Amino acid sequence: MSMITERPVSNPAGQSPVGTAAEAPASGRRDVRAVVAAYVALTKPRIVELLLVTTVPAMMLADGGMPSLWLVAVVLVGGSLAAGAASVLNCYIDRDIDQLMRRTKRRPLPAHTVSPRSALIFGLVLAAVSVALMAATTNWLATVLTLAAIAYYDLVYTLWLKRTTAANTFWGGICGAAPVLIGWAAVTGSLAPAAWGLFAVVFFWQMPHFYALAIKYKDDYARAGVPMLPVVASVRRVNAEIIGFSWLTVLSSLAVWPLGMSPIYGVTALVVGGIFLVEAHKLCRRATRGEAVKPMRLFHWSTTYLTILFAAVALDALL
């Protein structure tokens, strides 16, 4: 995730800045860039990128080709704003635990680059703009799904599930897979079986993806008191869920094949799904043997898997 790596140093009250007059404008430009970078970091742009990877192919499949570029543009902008809003509000709510974790302590709020009040206002404004844009340019179903995804992520997942149950990743997966439904609904105004099939792929995919990350940062989550599954469950239980949800991901991708998809998609799903399963089984085998687990191999490959699979969805829609 993007984050601010340096905390700006303020001048003590009543003292003038050190340096020449010629240096002042350059310093001012650096301060502006730092503030802009901090607000961008709050939106967690890498998560936004991943969500958009699934949205556009879903729109293309719903349309049976290439939707209106105007519609694609407004859904991408609205979806980016919505995902950014959810992330900003997540940072606002999680500012207490973020400062306890090495992975997150340099985020803008624990680093005091942005004030909590400013972050809250920024997040709410982004949310309002995203929902208003979807309402003005798409339809009621896409708009309601957008609003529901933001509310669920911040009020249900971040405020409640994340801090109280090891099933937080499972139930949190609903909002992570919502962009597929939002994109489809924006094109058709309804949800077809293929939309739910792609939703299932992204939903189940999130468990092995985020469990791998939680294994890597297990000590961080434990320090912050977040009951991620690798923190509170046995290695056997974690392995079982990684394997089970990896298989459900691949089986869901194959279940989409008969819903109007060509062999191009089917073969792609088989090949990349097979590699995904191999990586999941390797991780669990290493964990069982007490070897170095190397969880980021599965984490990174799972991202590659999802990208290739949805690229195949887009290609299939164009053919």
Side-chain angles (χ1 to χ4, degrees):
M1 303 224 176
S2 300
M3 61 184 73
I4 302 301
T5 57
E6 296 273 341
R7 179 179 172 181
V9 179
S10 303
N11 291 308
Q15 293 187 13
S16 301
V18 178
T20 65
E23 293 172 334
S27 176
R29 287 193 294 271
R30 284 196 297 272
D31 290 343
V32 170
R33 285 197 297 268
V35 170
V36 171
Y39 278 95
V40 170
L42 284 172
T43 67
K44 302 180 183 178
R46 291 185 181 177
I47 292 180
V48 173
E49 290 172 13
L50 192 58
L51 296 177
L52 298 184
V53 162
T54 62
T55 303
V56 176
M59 294 180 69
M60 295 172 66
L61 186 61
D63 185 76
M66 191 67 201
S68 158
L69 293 180
W70 163 252
L71 181 62
V72 172
V74 296
V75 171
L76 287 179
V77 172
S80 297
L81 292 173
S87 294
V88 173
L89 295 173
N90 168 268
C91 287
Y92 171 79
I93 296 167
D94 275 353
R95 64 192 186 279
D96 58 331
I97 60 177
D98 279 351
Q99 65 186 352
L100 302 176
M101 299 171 61
R102 283 192 294 269
R103 184 174 67 90
T104 58
K105 67 180 181 181
R106 290 188 177 181
R107 285 178 178 172
L109 286 175
H112 305 292
T113 310
V114 176
S115 71
R117 181 175 182 274
S118 297
L120 177 61
I121 293 172
F122 181 50
L124 292 174
V125 168
L126 287 181
V129 172
S130 67
V131 173
L133 178 62
M134 295 296 287
T137 58
T138 61
N139 53 63
W140 71 267
L141 181 57
T143 302
V144 169
L145 288 172
T146 300
L147 177 60
I150 297 172
Y152 186 94
Y153 183 71
D154 290 312
L155 301 179
V156 179
Y157 170 73
T158 305
L159 267 178
W160 175 36
L161 296 172
K162 183 176 181 179
R163 297 169 184 248
T164 59
T165 174
N168 50 24
T169 304
F170 178 85
W171 294 109
I174 293 173
C175 47
V180 171
L181 301 182
I182 294 169
W184 193 288
V187 173
T188 67
S190 61
L191 297 173
W196 289 108
L198 294 177
F199 173 89
V201 172
V202 182
F203 175 78
F204 291 128
W205 166 86
Q206 290 176 93
M207 266 57 76
H209 178 73
F210 286 110
Y211 287 161
L213 187 69
I215 291 171
K216 169 71 174 178
Y217 295 105
K218 177 180 177 180
D219 293 341
D220 257 4
Y221 285 117
R223 187 180 303 109
V226 178
M228 299 296 286
L229 189 71
V231 174
V232 299
S234 66
V235 171
R236 182 178 179 181
R237 166 76 182 282
V238 175
N239 286 353
E241 293 214 13
I242 288 175
I243 296 299
F245 285 117
S246 295
W247 275 97
L248 285 171
T249 301
V250 175
L251 291 174
S252 296
S253 72
L254 295 176
V256 177
W257 189 357
L259 301 177
M261 308 297 285
S262 76
I264 292 176
Y265 168 83
V267 171
T268 302
L270 281 170
V271 172
V272 296
I275 299 173
F276 183 37
L277 291 174
V278 167
E279 286 297 330
H281 279 274
K282 281 183 176 179
L283 182 149
C284 295
R285 188 163 54 248
R286 289 191 295 265
T288 301
R289 293 174 178 174
E291 301 171 357
V293 179
K294 302 177 183 177
M296 298 309 285
R297 284 185 55 172
L298 177 60
F299 178 82
H300 291 304
W301 170 251
S302 64
T303 301
T304 303
Y305 162 81
L306 198 69
T307 302
I308 295 174
L309 184 72
F310 274 82
V313 171
L315 179 61
D316 201 285
L318 292 175
L319 297 178

